[in-house]
Amino acid sequence: MTAPLTLVLAGIGADAHTVGLSLLRHTLTSCGYDVVFMGIQNDIDDVRAVARHADAVLVSVMDGHCLHYLRDFEPGAETSDGEDGPLWYIGGNLAIDDGAGLEDHLRARGFHRVFVKYVDLAVVVDVLHRDMCRRVPRARGAWAHRAARTARSLVSSAPAVGDDPLDGASLRAERAEVLAEWRTGREAADLADNAAFLTGRAGFPALHSRVDRRAEPPVAQVRVGVPSVPGQRAAFERMEHDGSRVLSYQVDSLTRARRFGDVAEALADGAAGLNGFPVINHGVTVLRELAAETALPLGTRHSMRDPRLLAEISFAGGVTSFEGGALSYNLPYHRDYPLERSVRDWQYVDRLVGRYARDHGVAIDREFFGPLTGTLVPPSIAIAVNVCEALLAAGQGARHLSLGFGEHGSRVQDLAAARVLRATAARALLGAGHHRVHLSLVFHQYMGAFPTDERLAGHLIAESALLARSMRPSRVIVKTPVEARRIPTLEENLAAQRLVGSLLAQPAPAPGPGEERAVAEESEVLQAEVDALLDSVLAAGGGSIARGVVLAVRDGLLDVPFAPSVFNRGEATSVRDCDGAIRWLNTGRLPLPDGVRAFHADMVAARRRRDGIVDRRNDHRMVAHDLLEVPRGDFETWPMDARRSRRPTRVTVG
């Protein structure tokens, strides 16, 4: 029997997108290849060490910094003289611009195939098949890569975290260490001075209060991060002139990976290549200058590993909203950020927010990232994560909490999820004794892969705004029609914001025939799921939410589909039902009631019958279809339950 060809599959750089890699891994394995999967956030030298005995190496770069990560790399250096090495492939989102000339450049450096922007999975697999069809397998040999660490080996049985507010003396000592991490940290040292600057700044909590009282329509918000200070200033000025009601900057991916030295080099070279605003390198003084030039609330959006220094500089610079949490900014974005460490780091952030409120009367909004991986995430897991992070934040003194909610693609399921999220969070916080907490809802337009067809993308954005109008969040995080192809320009962001804002300002439509009944039925099932998940977290922690979330993730009681973290078991998987709602395909170790499991099993069985799938070993074809359905534009309407396509699942590989 011929030995299988061996492929190495790895993501390099700071970006956290792993869904495409995970799907490619599954597909290539089903095609008979021996796949060595290294996950995301690898250094290219790590990949080269593993590649020594491979037949092909497929690397992905998703944040546009390809040339930065490959600056000292030449394919073939991992082989001995005279030895035929593996074929090297590279794809993803290799440049933050259109990548003109990049394919020729990388092919000249030795890459066999280069995919500068998004390419269909079937194309990649077909090209690989043709390249490999006459290749003789090389000996796999002894692999030099480090073994993947597991959650079980890195999480103690009794996590060293608790629910009590962090001790003042130890926090002061820790704060000195945090501020010393980069030279701009010292600018944030004086809390009283920071609070004096923050006092009188327009705040997100006040804005949310007006929206929640229906005094104003929900706010449409875009994310704009420009590397240079003049560029960010011009963007803010243009946004305010165009009628934006809030401002926020997106932090660049090198800062998110804590590569402050690399950022300094990029800034010295004119900031070319950075894909956001490097606020830590620019520092407090610069951020205050920008904040002082606007009367609008200012927020930080990031997904950073260890957010403590970023929070210090953000608040000192005038930011009144800070996104993220110990689970929602960890499991979907980082490969090996220990849960205990993450919980403790975010408790520092929330204690800092609490101190600004208690000692200085400054209200700072804490927003949680509900979309998680943004890919086939059943709403129950997103709701449970939101509620856990809200409890953790309130326990450290945060009083203004924004529950993040990502659109799933089914109107009925999304309306039910928003209802259950609001009610469960309010009940849980009151039950924990947090009586002075203000809750708001932030709605993210669809966070999965977008259609490459701008017409379809525009349709999705408009219909998503109509859905948001019915659930009435405080803010809507807006997408743009070019989402699938590149980072949008400021004008494209503002055009999308105007469109969504105009739709949000209209009265919400009356529910359709039977919609309220369908939403109530969906809410009942969803509430049972969420209650079971939250009960298991508290039980795992012996009543402690901080210990509970660490142990629940370790044991698979909380399990986020397609998350790259080694601490996430990844045993629970999901798929859409015949009406576009997301259902559990495999519940893994999730502690769901028997009736809920049976409900999901029935929904998935109906989908199998519709698509003619008899052998459950072919379930991955449904998952592949659902992952690619939107980016391919293979849907008839949005949301999907408005008029769900009845065509059979398209199978393109395997």
Side-chain angles (χ1 to χ4, degrees):
M1 181 176 179
T2 304
L5 293 163
T6 300
L7 311 179
V8 172
L9 183 60
I12 62 173
D15 198 83
H17 290 85
T18 187
V19 175
L21 279 178
S22 297
L23 181 57
L24 185 57
R25 172 196 188 184
H26 195 98
T27 302
L28 293 175
T29 300
S30 69
C31 292
Y33 294 104
D34 182 9
V35 179
V36 178
F37 185 61
M38 297 183 66
I40 63 168
Q41 296 170 348
N42 297 281
D43 290 329
I44 192 63
D45 286 342
D46 294 336
V47 181
R48 184 160 49 194
V50 179
R52 182 172 180 80
H53 301 286
D55 296 290
V57 182
L58 292 79
V59 296
S60 171
V61 177
M62 291 299 297
D63 63 5
H65 293 322
C66 164
L67 293 179
H68 173 79
Y69 299 130
L70 299 175
R71 61 187 182 275
D72 299 322
F73 175 72
E74 295 291 341
E78 70 285 342
T79 60
S80 304
D81 290 342
E83 179 186 0
D84 289 335
L87 298 181
W88 283 79
Y89 300 70
I90 188 167
N93 180 42
L94 304 187
I96 61 174
D97 54 19
D98 60 6
L102 185 57
E103 180 177 356
D104 290 341
H105 173 79
L106 291 174
R107 286 180 66 87
R109 289 181 59 179
F111 281 94
H112 185 65
R113 301 283 188 182
V114 178
F115 304 99
V116 176
K117 295 294 181 181
Y118 171 81
V119 64
D120 196 286
L121 173 66
V123 173
V124 175
V125 174
D126 181 62
V127 167
L128 185 67
H129 285 345
R130 286 190 275 112
D131 290 346
M132 295 285 111
C133 66
R134 292 184 177 85
R135 192 172 178 92
V136 177
R138 307 172 73 213
R140 178 165 178 170
W143 293 97
H145 67 290
R146 58 178 180 260
R149 293 182 291 175
T150 66
R152 290 171 295 285
S153 67
L154 289 174
V155 178
S156 62
S157 58
V161 290
D163 295 347
D164 293 338
L166 300 185
D167 173 73
S170 60
L171 191 63
R172 283 191 294 273
E174 181 179 351
R175 189 163 185 262
E177 296 176 0
V178 169
L179 296 179
E181 291 177 1
W182 188 251
R183 57 179 176 266
T184 56
R186 61 180 179 269
E187 301 174 3
D190 191 336
L191 283 177
D193 179 66
N194 300 342
F197 181 76
L198 281 166
T199 300
R201 289 272 309 128
F204 280 77
L207 177 73
H208 290 161
S209 179
R210 294 195 299 272
V211 174
D212 294 343
R213 294 197 311 268
R214 297 182 180 265
E216 297 178 4
V219 175
Q221 178 180 351
V222 294
R223 295 164 291 186
V224 177
V226 182
S228 70
V229 175
Q232 191 68 64
R233 173 178 285 113
F236 282 165
E237 290 174 352
R238 180 71 175 82
M239 292 169 70
E240 187 164 10
H241 180 268
D242 201 68
S244 296
R245 295 163 64 192
V246 300
L247 300 177
S248 62
Y249 55 83
Q250 188 77 26
V251 176
D252 67 288
S253 60
L254 291 179
T255 296
R256 297 197 297 265
R258 302 177 58 78
R259 299 186 181 189
F260 308 139
D262 290 342
V263 173
E265 292 180 8
L267 290 175
D269 291 337
L274 293 177
N275 61 353
F277 185 65
V279 64
I280 287 179
N281 284 69
H282 285 315
V284 173
T285 301
V286 167
L287 188 55
R288 284 190 180 184
E289 290 174 358
L290 294 175
E293 293 168 0
T294 179
L296 297 178
L298 180 61
T300 297
R301 312 189 77 84
H302 54 103
S303 72
M304 186 169 179
R305 180 183 179 118
D306 187 351
R308 294 174 297 169
L309 179 59
L310 179 63
E312 289 276 10
I313 289 176
S314 294
F315 301 148
V319 162
T320 53
S321 180
F322 196 78
E323 186 187 34
L327 298 176
S328 65
Y329 258 13
N330 179 353
L331 301 180
Y333 286 107
H334 301 290
R335 182 179 64 180
D336 55 3
Y337 189 9
L339 265 296
E340 289 177 74
R341 184 69 256 171
S342 180
V343 168
R344 181 60 179 72
D345 289 344
W346 280 97
Q347 285 181 324
Y348 177 104
V349 172
D350 291 322
R351 188 62 177 152
L352 186 62
V353 170
R355 287 192 63 187
Y356 274 114
R358 183 196 66 190
D359 299 342
H360 304 285
V362 175
I364 295 174
D365 179 66
R366 279 286 290 110
E367 179 183 339
F368 312 116
F369 185 67
L372 301 177
T373 59
T375 306
L376 294 184
V377 177
S380 60
I381 202 75
I383 293 171
V385 166
N386 256 279
V387 174
C388 288
E389 292 186 335
L391 290 168
L392 287 169
Q396 298 300 321
R399 291 292 174 261
H400 295 272
L401 310 178
S402 288
L403 307 169
F405 174 75
E407 183 178 17
H408 298 91
S410 160
R411 177 179 173 85
V412 167
Q413 188 173 51
D414 282 338
L415 290 173
R419 181 179 299 182
V420 171
L421 173 58
R422 281 181 164 123
T424 306
R427 186 168 58 249
L429 288 162
L430 286 174
H434 303 300
H435 300 287
R436 300 178 60 189
V437 174
H438 182 272
L439 290 176
S440 295
L441 182 67
V442 175
F443 177 77
H444 292 252
Q445 294 196 305
Y446 184 65
M447 289 289 287
F450 244 59
T452 54
D453 182 326
E454 290 189 24
R455 179 189 60 81
L456 276 176
H459 166 71
L460 188 158
I461 290 166
E463 293 299 323
S464 172
L466 297 177
L467 169 64
R469 192 175 63 186
S470 295
M471 63 178 63
R472 229 193 130 71
S474 295
R475 283 181 283 143
V476 175
I477 309 301
V478 175
K479 289 284 194 172
T480 68
V482 300
E483 198 75 28
R485 298 189 291 108
R486 55 181 168 79
I487 297 174
T489 65
L490 177 60
E491 290 301 324
E492 288 164 340
N493 267 311
L494 292 176
Q497 181 178 261
R498 286 192 296 271
L499 169 65
V500 172
S502 67
L503 294 172
L504 292 174
Q506 300 176 17
E515 181 176 271
E516 177 55 36
R517 181 176 65 256
V519 171
E521 292 171 352
E522 186 73 26
S523 298
E524 183 178 359
V525 175
L526 186 52
Q527 189 69 67
E529 286 187 54
V530 172
D531 289 346
L533 294 174
L534 292 175
D535 287 348
S536 73
V537 171
L538 288 173
S544 165
I545 192 70
R547 290 191 294 272
V549 294
V550 176
L551 295 174
V553 172
R554 182 200 70 178
D555 295 338
L557 308 176
L558 292 177
D559 198 349
V560 179
F562 301 104
S565 172
V566 299
F567 301 97
N568 187 76
R569 281 193 172 268
E571 296 172 0
T573 55
S574 51
V575 72
R576 292 193 185 275
D577 68 13
C578 293
D579 292 320
I582 300 174
R583 305 300 181 192
W584 291 110
L585 175 64
N586 183 346
T587 55
R589 305 184 186 207
L590 297 174
L592 302 181
D594 290 343
V596 170
R597 290 178 186 273
F599 170 79
H600 284 274
D602 288 346
M603 296 296 102
V604 173
R607 167 73 186 276
R608 288 194 190 99
R609 289 193 298 271
R610 190 198 77 181
D611 293 353
I613 294 178
V614 178
D615 188 343
R616 294 190 180 185
R617 289 176 297 181
N618 290 325
D619 281 350
H620 70 274
R621 295 179 176 177
M622 293 191 299
V623 179
H625 174 271
D626 292 350
L627 290 175
L628 298 172
E629 182 177 27
V630 175
R632 284 174 172 165
D634 193 20
F635 60 96
E636 293 183 356
T637 190
W638 192 267
M640 291 182 171
D641 52 358
R643 189 176 70 247
R644 179 69 172 164
S645 169
R646 298 295 169 178
R647 70 187 66 165
T649 297
R650 179 199 296 177
V651 179
T652 58
V653 296

